[in-house]
Amino acid sequence: MATPNSTSTSDDGNHRNTTASSQSALIFMGTGCSSTVPRLKCLLRPSDPPCSVCVQSLSIPPDRNPNYRCNTSLLIDYCESSGNHNYTMIDVGKSFREAVLRWFVPNQIPRIDSIILTHEHADAVLGLDDVRGVQPFSPTNDIDPTPIYLSQHSMNSMKEKFPYLVEKKRKEGQEIRWVAQMAWNIIADDFNQPFFASGLKFTPLPVMHGEDYICLGFLFGEKSRVAYISDVSRIPASTEYVISKSGAGQLDLLILDSLNRTGSHNVHLCFPQSLETVKRLCPKRTLLIGMTHEFDHHRDNEFLTEWSRREGISVQLAHDGLRVPINL
C-alpha cells in the first residue's frame, strides 16, 4: 500500500500523491509491444525527421514520459474485505525488472502473491527468472513458492525455456543455486472453468493471437467486471458473448490490445480494429495497451476524447504506471 509520501501517475501522466487505501487498484506495469518503446532502431539509426515519439526518451525521464512503454503487464492490487492486500501479476515479460523498479517502489508493493500468464511468448515470460528478486531469500531455496497459473501449452514451453525453474529434484552432485521458486498450476483455456488466484476469481478468455495460436485473456471482479485481453487478433464469438453488453453483461472496464496506429496486423488488433471491437462489446470504459511507437500518448488521447464523446463510450490509451482504483 502507498504511504502519504509516495507517488503514482494519473491518466494525464503527471505524478500524484497517493495514500494508504482500503480499495483495490490496477497498476499498469507496462503498456507497450514486445519490442517496447522507444524503438531501438529509431535511436540508433534515426530517420529524417526523427521519430517524434522515440526521441522523447532522450530528454524526458521514463517516469514522466507516457510514451515510454515496457512490455504489457498488469498488477492487480486486490484488497479483501478484511483489508488484507493480495498482489497478482498478469505476465512477467522481458522488461519485468525495470517495471518493478519503476512502479513497485512508489506504490509500496512489497511482494507478488501469484502470477498469471496469458501465453508463453518472450514478452510475457522472460522476466520469470527475476521473480526471485521479489521473493524472500533462502540459500537453500527453502521458501514458499509463488503460485503461477498457465495453460498446458505454456507449461510445455516453460519446461524448455526454464527447466531449472520447473525441475524440483536435484541430480546427484548438483549444487544448490538460488532461483525463483514457482508452484505451477495448469488452467484450462475455457471460460467455463474459472480458477482462483490470491483470493480473486478469474475466468479464462480464449482468443486468437493469429489464427494458429490461442492466447488467454481474463475476466475478473465481482463488484466491477474487468476483462484483460493483451494479445489478440480475433475474439471468437463464444468468448465475445461472455464480455459483451448484448451477451452475458456489460464490462465496467475493458483492457484491450492495440498494436499499430493504422492498418491491420496478422496477430494483433490495431487501432481501427480495436475501436470496432469496443463498439461491439460496448464496455463502460476501455483502456488500450500493447502500443508501438506509432502512438503518441497526448495526441491520440485527444483524438480518443472526441471519439468517446461522439460514440458514447470512454476509450483512452493507458500508460506505464497508471493506477486505476477499482472495487473488485
Side-chain angles (χ1 to χ4, degrees):
M1 293 182 295
T3 66
N5 293 323
S6 66
T7 61
S8 64
T9 54
S10 62
D11 285 279
D12 57 11
N14 295 321
H15 287 270
R16 299 285 175 81
N17 289 331
T18 59
T19 57
S21 174
S22 59
Q23 187 177 24
S24 300
L26 309 179
I27 303 173
F28 288 75
M29 302 293 291
T31 58
C33 57
S34 180
S35 56
T36 70
V37 182
R39 189 185 187 200
L40 289 178
K41 186 185 298 184
C42 291
L43 301 181
L44 300 177
R45 296 188 296 277
S47 57
D48 185 16
C51 172
S52 61
V53 168
C54 291
V55 76
Q56 291 177 10
S57 67
L58 300 177
S59 59
I60 304 175
D63 60 343
R64 297 184 180 277
N65 181 4
N67 284 322
Y68 189 102
R69 305 181 181 112
C70 288
N71 292 150
T72 293
S73 179
L74 185 72
L75 177 71
I76 303 170
D77 175 358
Y78 174 48
C79 182
E80 297 179 304
S81 57
S82 63
N84 180 58
H85 284 251
N86 295 324
Y87 305 97
T88 298
M89 283 282 296
I90 300 182
D91 287 344
V92 284
K94 296 175 287 183
S95 55
F96 167 72
R97 186 177 186 276
E98 178 181 359
V100 168
L101 289 171
R102 290 175 65 197
W103 306 122
F104 271 43
V105 175
N107 285 287
Q108 295 289 290
I109 305 300
R111 65 186 183 276
I112 295 174
D113 293 308
S114 57
I115 296 169
I116 301 174
L117 298 182
T118 59
H119 63 315
E120 42 75 50
H121 288 169
D123 57 345
V125 307
L126 286 194
L128 283 173
D129 182 80
D130 283 318
V131 170
R132 67 177 180 167
V134 296
Q135 291 182 325
F137 173 73
S138 167
T140 59
N141 293 323
D142 185 22
I143 62 170
D144 291 333
T146 300
I148 181 167
Y149 301 84
L150 71 171
S151 68
Q152 184 63 61
H153 176 77
S154 292
M155 185 72 246
N156 295 340
S157 179
M158 294 304 96
K159 293 176 182 178
E160 297 180 359
K161 289 184 173 75
F162 297 105
Y164 61 95
L165 296 183
V166 176
E167 295 296 331
K168 296 297 183 182
K169 294 183 178 179
R170 297 197 318 277
K171 298 177 182 178
E172 184 177 352
Q174 185 178 8
E175 295 284 357
I176 297 175
R177 287 177 170 82
W178 177 38
V179 298
Q181 298 300 301
M182 308 291 190
W184 303 91
N185 299 275
I186 304 302
I187 58 174
D189 52 0
D190 182 351
F191 49 75
N192 289 311
Q193 297 187 51
F195 63 98
F196 283 84
S198 299
L200 191 60
K201 180 181 177 181
F202 291 85
T203 298
L205 300 172
V207 298
M208 306 311 299
H209 184 18
E211 288 303 306
D212 62 345
Y213 191 94
I214 296 175
C215 183
L216 293 180
F218 298 98
L219 174 67
F220 59 93
E222 298 293 335
K223 298 175 183 176
S224 299
R225 300 182 79 233
V226 181
Y228 180 86
I229 305 176
S230 61
D231 294 79
V232 58
S233 55
R234 180 175 64 85
I235 303 177
S238 55
T239 298
E240 192 165 295
Y241 177 86
V242 176
I243 56 175
S244 66
K245 183 178 180 180
S246 62
Q250 186 178 33
L251 294 172
D252 293 283
L253 175 61
L254 171 63
I255 302 168
L256 183 64
D257 186 19
S258 188
L259 184 69
N260 293 325
R261 180 65 174 77
T262 60
S264 60
H265 196 275
N266 62 320
V267 299
H268 287 276
L269 296 179
C270 293
F271 199 40
Q273 299 88 50
S274 299
L275 293 181
E276 286 302 314
T277 301
V278 169
K279 288 166 68 174
R280 286 200 314 274
L281 299 180
C282 200
K284 293 179 181 178
R285 182 186 184 190
T286 298
L287 290 167
L288 299 180
I289 57 174
M291 291 86 69
T292 65
H293 67 153
E294 291 185 12
F295 286 89
D296 180 277
H297 183 82
H298 299 296
R299 179 198 66 203
D300 290 314
N301 269 347
E302 287 180 3
F303 168 85
L304 284 170
T305 296
E306 175 57 28
W307 186 94
S308 298
R309 184 197 63 78
R310 185 174 65 250
E311 298 293 338
I313 307 173
S314 174
V315 182
Q316 289 279 278
L317 304 183
H319 62 81
D320 290 22
L322 174 64
R323 183 184 181 102
V324 179
I326 192 168
N327 290 318
L328 296 174

